[in-house]
Amino acid sequence: MGVPRSNGCLLCVQRRVKCDEGLPGCAKCIKYGKPCPGYDRGFKFVAGKPHRSKRSPGSKTAAGGAHLVDIRSGKSSQAMQQSLVRRASSLWLRSADTNVMQSLDILIGDVSQPFPASATYTTARWFTFLPAIYGRNRTLDASIRCFVAHHIGLVTDNKQAIMYARSTYVEALNRLQRSLYSPTESLSSEVLCAVLLQCFFELFSNAHDSTSWMNHAKGLSRLVSFRGCDSYQTEFDHILLKACRGLIIMHSLFSKEKCFLASSDWHSVMKQQLDSTVSSSFYAQVEELFALYTTIPCFIHQLFDLRQADPAHETTQQRASELLTDTLDMQNKLITWYDKFSRTAPLPAEVLSSTGDTLYPIVYSFTDVDTAAIFAAYYSYMVIVHAILDVCRYPGDHAALVTYFRDQVCMSVEFNAQGILGPSRLGFPLLVVHEFADPPTKAWVQGWLQRLSKTYKVMLPQNYRQ
């Protein structure tokens, strides 16, 4: 297969001018007065039958403890990494007509590592729907191709695959713009899935613009809301909603907009269980916590406003009184929830840090990733609650409790960081820890961000210093 010598866009190559290789399009084309055609060199995927590589007879499953991530380097274990490179490189180097279904098969296997696929409650399960829906919609197809190509390029250090991902991303963005204006496509499940994939692509790949993902998250929030509560009655739509809601909450947090998912109508939609991947009792309690979690942007917005307000002003005192009442109510709800959940799910065990961590030599080990993520979410919310109670000068040593729950989050990081999607589970918890950290803990967080950002670019340490 011939590899073009120039990495420039097709129009710049044709005009024989130096391309700046900008994304989503180069500035030379804009100056020339033409739309940038992107960087695609005819590197194509073709649909085919799914393929899964055979396990060797002696290989262990993730449940048996094999293939745990090496969090010191931010990469998979050596055996897992070698396996990924062998499988993925063969796809990209064998021919130009790379099979997108095989790439999807690799992606789905990788996002569930080192946990069984059945354990991925919301974080990874939506990826398993992609092979069945590939080919339905061109916007979604381009979004799938760019995301899987980036993944293949990342795990194999294949620059050609990454270049293909970037050029296909330009195509996906252009197609999405047209789809959103189409009365037949704009509210479809496929277009919602495409927006979600493009947002994930920005989170994993964009090391130059820490805010680009928020533009997608904003569009994702508006699309989910505009489709309305009645649009999430199929299993696919419902799992998409679950996959979107973390990004919706983060957009609400940064935009200072109220999170629309906090309404009772949306709570009713989300608590429906349309699959049997987890027990009904566990599912109900996870959804109960998430219903409480949709209010966290509102609490954080009020906390920061109160910090900056004049404490002697009558209006400030009134706002503080109202916030204190709401926070005490939320604290009671969280404590009641934790009392029930701790009888449903096993509490974490204390183990020695596998990295020899000097600040947190004892860390938590959980039974599964779902439980770990839920406990981390609870710890994070309790940090916010006690920070508000401290600002409102409510009786009690709330500063010490902020430190206690902050440390609970930190002790859960090592377990939650495992796997390709580990960083996405830690985005909010580490943001909370960083905000309420003393200098040693802040330096500790920065070290973790440096490791996690090797694959999840949005977690570059400089993004947390802003």
Side-chain angles (χ1 to χ4, degrees), residues 39 60 67 75 78 113 153 212 251 275 279 334 363 387 397 400 406 428 438 444:
Y39 308 93
K60 295 181 180 180
H67 300 161
K75 296 181 179 179
Q78 186 176 4
Q113 293 291 343
S212 60
H251 169 257
D275 61 81
S279 70
L334 287 168
V363 297
D397 193 354
R406 183 199 72 196
F428 181 73
D438 54 15
W444 180 88

Side-chain angles (χ1 to χ4, degrees), residues 374-449:
I374 294 303
F375 273 109
Y378 166 76
Y379 301 147
S380 302
Y381 209 157
M382 290 301 282
V383 170
I384 302 300
V385 164
H386 286 288
I388 294 173
L389 296 178
D390 188 43
V391 169
C392 293
R393 300 182 181 179
Y394 188 74
D397 193 354
H398 297 291
L401 287 167
V402 166
T403 301
Y404 169 77
F405 283 108
R406 183 199 72 196
D407 289 346
Q408 299 295 292
V409 175
C410 293
M411 291 171 67
S412 70
V413 166
E414 192 168 299
F415 190 95
N416 270 306
Q418 298 178 82
I420 292 168
L421 292 180
S424 66
R425 292 190 290 269
L426 290 170
F428 181 73
L430 283 179
L431 188 66
V432 170
V433 171
H434 194 267
E435 179 64 34
F436 297 98
D438 54 15
T441 308
K442 191 161 288 190
W444 180 88
V445 172
Q446 291 285 318
W448 267 105
L449 294 175

Side-chain angles (χ1 to χ4, degrees), residues 45 50-53 76 80 83-85 87-89 91-92 98-117 120 123-134 140-156 165 193 196-198 200-201 204 419-422 424-425 455-456:
F45 282 108
H51 167 77
R52 184 173 296 278
S53 56
S76 308
M80 179 181 174
S83 173
L84 290 176
V85 170
R87 288 185 295 150
S89 291
L91 290 177
W92 287 89
T98 307
N99 192 317
V100 69
M101 301 302 286
Q102 290 179 305
S103 298
L104 273 172
D105 189 55
I106 289 175
L107 172 67
I108 293 166
D110 295 346
V111 295
S112 65
Q113 293 291 343
F115 307 101
T120 51
T123 311
R125 189 167 170 266
W126 68 279
F127 285 102
T128 63
F129 286 82
L130 298 182
I133 61 175
Y134 182 76
L140 177 58
D141 290 353
S143 302
I144 290 174
R145 289 198 302 273
C146 77
F147 191 83
V148 298
H150 174 77
H151 175 70
I152 297 295
L154 187 69
V155 298
T156 62
C193 188
L196 179 61
L197 273 169
Q198 290 184 27
F200 264 70
F201 179 81
F204 275 92
I420 292 168
L421 292 180
S424 66
R425 292 190 290 269
T455 56
Y456 202 65

Side-chain angles (χ1 to χ4, degrees), residues 53-61:
S53 56
K54 296 181 180 179
R55 295 181 181 271
S56 59
S59 65
K60 295 181 180 180
T61 63

Side-chain angles (χ1 to χ4, degrees), residues 179-193:
S179 293
L180 290 174
Y181 282 100
S182 167
T184 57
E185 286 187 67
S186 58
L187 301 183
S188 67
S189 307
E190 290 78 15
V191 167
L192 176 61
C193 188

